[in-house]
Amino acid sequence: MQRQPSPLRTALAVVLVAGLVALAYVTRRSSAAAQRMGHMAAMVYLPAVSWVGRGTQWVRREAQALASLMQAEQQVAILRRQLAAEELALVRERAAAQENRTLRAVLGLRQEVGTPSVAAQVVGMNPASWWETVVLDRGSQSGVRVGDPVLAPGGLVGRVFTVTPHASTVLLLTNGTSAVGIQDARSGARGLALGNAAPGDLTAEFFSPTADVRSGDRLVTSGLGSGLPAGLPVGMVTHVSVTGTGMVVAQVLPGVDPTTITTVLVLTGGAGS
Amino acid sequence: MRVLAYGLMGLVAVVVQMAVLPVLAVRGMVPWLSVALVVAVGLLYGPTEGVWAGGVVGGLTDLAVGRYVGLGTLAHMAVGYVAGRLAWLPPSARAVAAFVGSGAAAMATRAWVTMGMRLGGAHVPLHLALGSPISALYTALAGVVALSVLDGAAWGRRRRGARRRRRAGAYGQAGGA
C-alpha cells in the first residue's frame, strides 16, 4: 500500500517550486542581488577551481610531454633503423664501387701484360699472418700452376705456392722466405727483394757496391733467377743504406698492399713466361 | 549534516566540472556531473535524499552560474526525486538505471533549463534544448561512475561502523566480566 503524502508536505513542495521559479525569474537579468550571490558563491568555489585547474593543466602538460617523448622515441627508433639500412646500403655500394675499380684495374693489367692469365678472387688468408699467404678461388682446372706470378693493380703480389683443382695458395712478396730478382727501373742496378714477414716492408739487397739507388726509385722484376718475367712492378725505394761489408741495401714499399687485395691476376704462362 | 555532505559533494562537482572535465572534453562536450551525482544519490538512498541532493547540488551549480538561479535547482530536485523512485531496483540493475537515467536526466534538465530561459526572455536557440547525444552519453557514463563511487563509499562506511560496533561489544563483555 502506497503512503499518501501529507498536505503539509505537498504545500511545502508547492511553495518551494514556486519560490525557485520566482527566484529564477528575479535573477534572469544581471541584477545587484544576483551579482552579490554570484560573488559570494565565487568566493567559495573559485579558489578551489583555480587550484584544481592548475593541477589538471599541469597533469595535462606532463601527459602531453610524456606522449611527445614516447612519440619522439619511437621516431628515433624508426630513424635509427632507416639510418642503419642506409649505412648498410652505402657500405655495399662502396664495396661494389671498389670491386668495380679493382676489376677494371685487373682488366687493364691483363691487357697490359699481354700473356695468358686468369683473374682470381682472394677467398682466404692465413689467419695467423695474413700478409704471408692468400688463397685464390682458381686452381689447376683454370690453368694455374705452381710458380705462376700473381699480379694485382700496383704490381707483383707473389707466386703460386700450392695448387689444387679449384684453389691455390700464393706466397706473398712480403713472406719471410720470398726472394725475387729485381732491378732499379731508373739506373738498372740489379739485386734481390727479400720479404720481411711484415706488411708494407721489403728489403732490397743490391749486388754491386756502387749500385745507383735512390729513395723514390721504382723497382721492377729483373727476370733473372727467380723465374718471373721482367718488368713487373715490385715497389718503391723508401730508404737506402750501405752495410759494413759495402753492400747497398734499400727499404722498399711494395706496390701492392697485401691487406687490401681482393682480385688478382695469375699469369698462367708459368714461371718465366 | 546532510546539507553539509551534499554541499561538499556539490562543491566537488562544481570544481571538477569547471577545472577537470574540460580537459576530458570530447568535441567540446563534457558530462554533466551534478546531474549524474544526483541520479546516483537518488538511486542509492531514495526520493527524499535525491531531492535533498538535487536541491543542494543544483543550488550550488546555479549559484556558480549566477543567472536564473533556481531553474537548475528545480530540475536537479526533480531528477533526484525520479531517480529515488527507482531505489527499489536490485543492485545489479542500478548501474543500468544510472546509465539510462543520467543520460535521460541530462537531456531533460537541459530541455527544462533552455525552455525556462527562453520563457525568461533569453535568446537561446531552440535546438540547444535537445542537447548533444555525445554529452548525454558522456553524462550516462558519469552516472555509472558516480554510482560506483558513492556505493563504494557507503560500503566502506558500513564496514567501519560494523567493526566499531563489534569492538564496542567486545569491550562491553570484557567490562561485564
Side-chain angles (χ1 to χ4, degrees):
Chain A
M1 204 171 76
Q2 200 166 5
R3 195 178 63 178
Q4 292 292 320
S6 68
L8 183 65
R9 284 175 69 125
T10 308
L12 271 174
V14 170
V15 169
L16 184 67
V17 170
L20 286 173
V21 171
L23 184 64
Y25 183 75
V26 169
T27 56
R28 74 189 189 285
R29 295 187 197 287
S30 180
S31 63
Q35 277 181 356
R36 266 199 302 279
M37 266 196 310
H39 181 70
M40 284 169 63
M43 292 286 283
V44 176
Y45 70 81
L46 269 190
V49 169
S50 169
W51 280 104
V52 176
R54 280 181 203 169
T56 308
Q57 293 300 327
W58 180 82
V59 170
R60 185 188 191 179
R61 275 196 302 274
E62 292 299 313
Q64 282 175 342
L66 190 65
S68 300
L69 188 67
M70 288 168 74
Q71 200 178 356
E73 278 179 357
Q74 282 176 347
Q75 284 176 345
V76 165
I78 290 167
L79 288 173
R80 273 189 185 150
R81 278 200 294 274
Q82 283 178 350
L83 185 65
E86 294 287 335
E87 278 178 352
L88 189 63
L90 188 64
V91 166
R92 281 179 181 156
E93 210 170 279
R94 279 181 183 160
Q98 177 63 37
E99 191 179 7
N100 191 17
R101 277 197 297 273
T102 307
L103 289 173
R104 280 173 187 276
V106 168
L107 189 62
L109 186 69
R110 191 178 199 171
Q111 287 166 352
E112 192 181 307
V113 170
T115 56
S117 57
V118 169
Q121 292 284 321
V122 176
V123 292
M125 290 179 177
N126 185 340
S129 54
W130 43 258
W131 56 87
E132 297 204 346
T133 56
V134 294
V135 180
L136 306 183
D137 66 345
R138 300 282 181 176
S140 56
Q141 290 278 342
S142 304
V144 178
R145 291 178 297 172
V146 173
D148 281 350
V150 179
L151 301 178
L156 187 66
V157 173
R159 280 189 294 184
V160 174
F161 181 60
T162 54
V163 179
T164 62
H166 300 287
S168 53
T169 307
V170 177
L171 191 70
L172 299 177
L173 273 182
T174 48
N175 185 288
T177 61
S178 169
V180 174
I182 47 121
Q183 70 177 47
D184 190 310
R186 181 183 58 82
S187 65
R190 290 200 174 95
L192 278 175
L194 306 169
N196 290 329
D201 189 23
L202 288 173
T203 300
E205 292 179 354
F206 291 88
F207 303 135
S208 168
T210 57
D212 178 15
V213 181
R214 296 175 199 166
S215 289
D217 281 357
R218 300 272 172 190
L219 301 182
V220 295
T221 50
S222 62
L224 299 173
S226 57
L228 289 169
L232 299 176
V234 172
M236 186 177 72
V237 176
T238 56
H239 182 258
V240 182
S241 59
V242 180
T243 63
T245 56
M247 182 181 281
V248 178
V249 176
Q251 294 299 309
V252 179
L253 180 70
V256 179
D257 181 359
T259 61
T260 59
I261 50 173
T262 54
T263 309
V264 295
L265 200 64
V266 183
L267 304 186
T268 52
S273 60
Chain B
M1 192 65 190
R2 185 160 54 182
V3 175
L4 261 178
Y6 291 140
L8 192 65
M9 196 168 75
L11 190 65
V12 169
V14 168
V15 169
V16 172
Q17 185 84 49
M18 294 175 78
V20 179
L21 292 184
V23 176
L24 306 172
V26 176
R27 293 188 177 185
M29 298 294 170
V30 292
W32 204 339
L33 195 58
S34 58
V35 170
L37 275 171
V38 170
V39 168
V41 170
L43 281 172
L44 283 172
Y45 301 112
T48 309
E49 295 299 317
V51 170
W52 268 105
V56 178
V57 175
L60 275 172
T61 312
D62 273 357
L63 280 173
V65 178
R67 299 284 294 276
Y68 289 93
V69 177
L71 209 56
T73 311
L74 211 51
H76 279 76
M77 288 169 78
V79 165
Y81 179 76
V82 173
R85 299 289 290 182
L86 297 172
W88 57 269
L89 287 170
S92 56
R94 278 185 194 151
V96 179
F99 184 82
V100 177
S102 297
M107 294 179 86
T109 305
R110 180 177 286 275
W112 163 258
V113 173
T114 307
M115 297 310 288
M117 289 171 76
R118 277 180 72 88
L119 286 172
H123 297 288
V124 185
L126 200 58
H127 69 85
L128 284 184
L130 296 171
S132 151
I134 295 175
S135 181
L137 188 68
Y138 222 165
T139 309
L141 288 170
V144 178
V145 173
L147 182 78
S148 307
V149 170
L150 291 178
D151 205 14
W155 180 79
R157 208 164 46 237
R158 281 197 300 273
R159 199 174 166 197
R160 279 197 300 275
R163 201 181 299 152
R164 208 176 300 129
R165 279 194 296 279
R166 268 203 309 276
R167 209 174 296 150
Y171 283 142
Q173 281 176 359

